[in-house]
Amino acid sequence: MARRIGLLGGTFNPVHIAHLRGALEVAEQLVLDELRLVPSARPPHREVPQASAEQRLAMVELAVAGEPQLRVDDRELRRAKPSFTYDTLESLRGELAADDQVFLLLGWDAFCGLPTWHRWQELLEHCHILVLQRPDADSEAPEALRDLLAARSVSDPQGLVGPSGQIAFVWQTPLAVSATQIRHLLAEGRSVRFLVPDAVLAYIQTHGLYRGQTDS
Ligand code: ATP
């Protein structure tokens, strides 16, 4: 039987409850066999993160421990080249059966940035795209995505058929949490308890991460 695999890429700097809750809810709603969190090594579109790749990976591993539907896929950290999502999908596809379904989860902000991504128009050859609502994001889709949405979106995520090629919006519990906010709180010496899992908080404290930094 075809497997159903979800992917949520990100800098996870650090991983927080909105990533985890969104991932788990999508995994349950869409009855995925597994949902993989994929930490990016050298994100092409982002500022260089302050925690090391190994530390971000360790926090994601701690966060999903004991939740069997959620896994960590560290392939982008094992690659010497920048982490283009297209390459990640192609590499994953090489390990799957042709009829396995791949669902790429993107928060609304990430989805809106899609037209700047490497080979973005070919992503749907390898996956379906699930767009997660994000309460702290603007609401208009950019012009460049309108044709794609008109051609490829389906209203019900349960109606995504075949291994790849369609877009659907998913409505998970809205949580206006961002890693930026968490880094800012920590830089100011404030608590981030309940915004990240306890094990991640303990790791941040043990390693003294994000203290006294004033980046965005
Ligand atoms: P930063 O604040 O550093 O930009 P972030 O909180 O957006 O980080 P990322 O690691 O960049 O976290 O996000 C990975 C993925 O999770 C992206 O697709 C992003 O849109 C999505 N995401 C992050 N936070 C939320 C949220 N609160 N609700 C829905 N999706 C989210």
Side-chain angles (χ1 to χ4, degrees):
M1 216 173 96
R3 299 174 70 210
R4 291 164 68 80
I5 296 176
L7 291 183
L8 175 63
T11 43
F12 302 120
N13 185 30
V15 64
H16 54 68
I17 56 161
H19 298 133
L20 297 162
R21 194 60 220 168
L24 186 59
E25 290 186 13
V26 167
E28 285 190 332
Q29 269 176 52
L30 293 194
V31 199
L32 301 184
D33 294 300
E34 62 183 75
L35 194 148
R36 303 186 188 187
L37 282 80
V38 189
S40 55
R42 284 185 282 155
H45 308 299
R46 306 294 299 265
E47 303 282 305
V48 177
Q50 311 77 17
S52 69
E54 292 72 21
Q55 289 171 330
R56 291 183 293 110
L57 173 64
M59 290 188 279
V60 178
E61 280 172 343
L62 287 168
V64 304
E67 183 44 66
Q69 267 188 300
L70 302 185
R71 308 265 172 87
V72 184
D73 187 322
D74 67 353
R75 78 185 60 222
E76 295 193 0
L77 302 182
R78 287 187 269 110
R79 200 159 55 192
K81 290 192 297 174
S83 316
F84 291 121
T85 300
Y86 182 86
D87 300 333
T88 301
L89 287 167
E90 206 173 36
S91 143
L92 175 70
R93 272 288 171 204
E95 299 165 8
L96 302 178
D99 61 346
D100 286 344
Q101 293 182 288
V102 176
F103 300 88
L104 179 68
L105 279 67
L106 297 175
W108 174 250
D109 58 317
F111 179 67
C112 289
L114 205 63
T116 64
W117 290 21
H118 177 64
R119 303 181 74 168
W120 70 277
Q121 281 156 316
E122 296 159 78
L123 294 177
L124 286 170
E125 290 171 12
H126 291 306
C127 64
H128 295 297
I129 291 179
L130 293 172
V131 186
L132 304 175
Q133 63 172 326
R134 188 154 181 178
D136 51 353
D138 296 339
S139 53
E140 277 287 297
E143 185 69 40
L145 286 175
R146 301 231 174 101
D147 289 349
L148 185 78
L149 279 170
R152 302 296 193 103
S153 63
V154 298
S155 55
D156 181 1
Q158 310 289 345
L160 295 170
V161 291
S164 60
Q166 294 169 308
I167 302 172
F169 289 78
V170 282
W171 297 94
Q172 83 290 5
T173 305
L175 292 166
V177 176
S178 71
T180 303
Q181 173 203 9
I182 289 167
R183 293 194 302 274
H184 280 162
L185 288 170
L186 289 164
E188 291 166 9
R190 294 169 62 190
S191 173
V192 297
R193 185 137 193 242
F194 310 128
L195 294 176
V196 298
D198 285 346
V200 172
L201 179 60
Y203 187 95
I204 289 172
Q205 288 171 338
T206 304
H207 293 83
L209 298 180
Y210 310 115
R211 283 201 303 230
Q213 284 159 349
T214 53
D215 77 311
S216 55

